[in-house]
Every structure is written in C-alpha cells, then in structure tokens.
Amino acid sequence: MADSERPDGRRVRGERTRQAVLDTAVALASVDGLDGLSLARLSGALGVSKSGLFTHWRDKEQLQLDVIDRARKQWGALVMRPAQDAPAGVRRLLALHEARLAFYAEDVLPGGCFFAAVQTEFDDRPGAVRDRVAQSIVDWVRHIQDLVEEAIALGELRADVDAAQLTFEIDALGEAVVTRSRLMDRATVLAQAHRAVLERLRSWCTDPSILPES
C-alpha cells in the first residue's frame, strides 16, 4: 500500500477519542442532563486535556447535538437491533419491549435512560437541541408503531387494533420503568412492565399461543 493510501493514524486516534468522549457524555447526561456537560468535566472524567477536546467541539450546542446522536446510535444497537432477530409480527414487538427492559435492568447507563433525562430538560426550551431530542423520540415512537402495524398486516394482531393507542401504551409502560425501578423494588417493576405489555399483546393477538403465557 502506498503511503498516500495508508490511514492517517492521528485521524484514527482522534476519532477514537471523539467516540470515547461521546460515550462518557451520554452516560453523564443520563444522570445530570445535557446542561451539566462541559469540556472541562469531560476532560476530567476521561483524563485527557481540555484543549484537545476543542478540536472536536467549538461550542456546547454542537457537543450536545453530537451526544444526542451518539445516544440514538447506542439505543439502536442495544435495543432496536436485537429485536430484529425475533420473527416479524407480534413477537418482534414484544422482543423490542423486552430489549428495552434489559437495557434498563443491565444498567447500561448510570441514570437509566438518556432520553428520559433530557426530554424533561428541554421540552420547554426552543432550539436545535430540543428539536433533535424531539425528533429522536418521534422516530422511536414511529418505530414501535411500524411494528404494531406490521403485526396487524400479518394478521397476528386483530384488524381493529388502534395502532397509535397501543404504541402509546407500550412506550409509556417502558418509560415508567426508568424512574420506578430506581425508586421502588426493581425486580417487581420490571416484572410488572413485562407482564403489562405481554398481557396487552395477548389480548389483541389473533393466536395468543405464539406468545408466552404471562
């Protein structure tokens, strides 16, 4: 390989540093929100120089936007992607809910959920950060509803299911786990969230036997 074709080692190292910073920022923001982030705090947490981080982010807003995008990618890899291994239809819908519960149960983030933390922080604050948070949540809810509609189209959920309503219920039950599991008995809350969605799906399923019993 010619020298001109070799990867730039500095660029590779720089991208690794950038991703490490974003991973740390997602974890910190899940506890303290995006406003609590600063390059000084991140440099201290990572043991790197603050000046080095300025090469990646010149202002706080861009850092916040990149952290949101990193959180979306993490959620996609650890929650959305595993569910795709389940058969299409109602079983994939349940698998998505179960992957979400597993994400919380395994303490992937110290605050439980990045988006639960930042949506209340920016819901009344217009701007690019609020828009990015809102779009992330809209896309997530749309993904759930796509799976609901797919299950209806496959004939695994009854045709008279209100897809938007069922989507809201599934998402709300998952979101409730974030705070309840940290204030109450975690095992009980996780079991209740699992059972609530499972029983809801079985009640609408044309063949409940394809789902486990509650």
Side-chain angles (χ1 to χ4, degrees):
M1 180 184 292
D3 288 343
S4 61
E5 297 174 340
R6 294 182 184 278
D8 185 334
R10 287 173 297 179
R11 183 177 302 172
V12 171
R13 289 192 298 272
E15 182 58 24
R16 286 176 182 167
T17 298
R18 183 176 184 276
Q19 297 308 320
V21 172
L22 290 175
D23 285 341
T24 299
V26 170
L28 292 174
S30 74
V31 177
D32 299 324
L34 285 169
D35 259 353
L37 289 178
S38 68
L39 294 181
R41 186 179 182 195
L42 288 170
S43 66
L46 288 160
V48 298
S49 69
K50 179 180 174 180
S51 60
L53 299 184
F54 273 113
T55 63
H56 301 286
W57 298 281
R58 294 295 181 178
D59 61 70
K60 187 171 183 176
E61 181 176 87
Q62 188 57 56
L63 172 63
Q64 291 173 330
L65 293 171
D66 287 349
V67 173
I68 295 167
D69 290 343
R70 185 64 175 176
R72 284 188 59 146
K73 183 175 290 187
Q74 180 189 68
W75 189 258
L78 299 180
V79 177
M80 297 168 70
R81 174 60 190 86
Q84 294 302 308
D85 293 334
V90 70
R91 286 166 289 186
R92 184 171 294 171
L93 186 57
L94 178 62
L96 182 69
H97 180 65
E98 295 295 288
R100 182 181 193 175
L101 297 186
F103 183 92
Y104 299 148
E106 293 166 8
D107 292 322
V108 175
L109 296 176
C113 182
F114 171 87
F115 289 103
V118 303
Q119 67 179 317
T120 56
E121 184 182 20
F122 283 90
D123 56 353
D124 293 321
R125 297 166 59 180
V129 175
R130 179 194 180 279
D131 292 345
R132 189 72 59 87
V133 171
Q135 189 59 56
S136 298
I137 294 171
V138 167
D139 290 345
W140 162 247
V141 171
R142 181 68 251 180
H143 179 69
I144 300 174
Q145 187 161 335
D146 284 345
L147 296 189
V148 172
E149 292 172 350
E150 180 181 52
I152 294 171
L154 291 172
E156 293 188 357
L157 288 177
R158 284 166 32 189
D160 60 336
V161 168
D162 184 331
Q165 179 63 32
L166 181 56
T167 296
F168 178 85
E169 293 170 2
I170 292 171
D171 183 48
L173 285 163
E175 187 172 320
V177 171
V178 180
T179 52
R180 294 292 180 86
S181 66
R182 307 177 82 78
L183 296 171
M184 303 168 65
D185 181 72
R186 171 178 289 196
T188 299
V189 171
L190 288 167
Q192 288 172 332
H194 162 76
R195 181 178 177 180
V197 170
L198 176 57
E199 290 187 350
R200 195 78 177 105
L201 293 178
R202 284 179 62 88
S203 72
W204 287 107
C205 195
T206 55
D207 179 11
S209 68
I210 67 175
L211 293 173
E213 294 185 1
S214 60

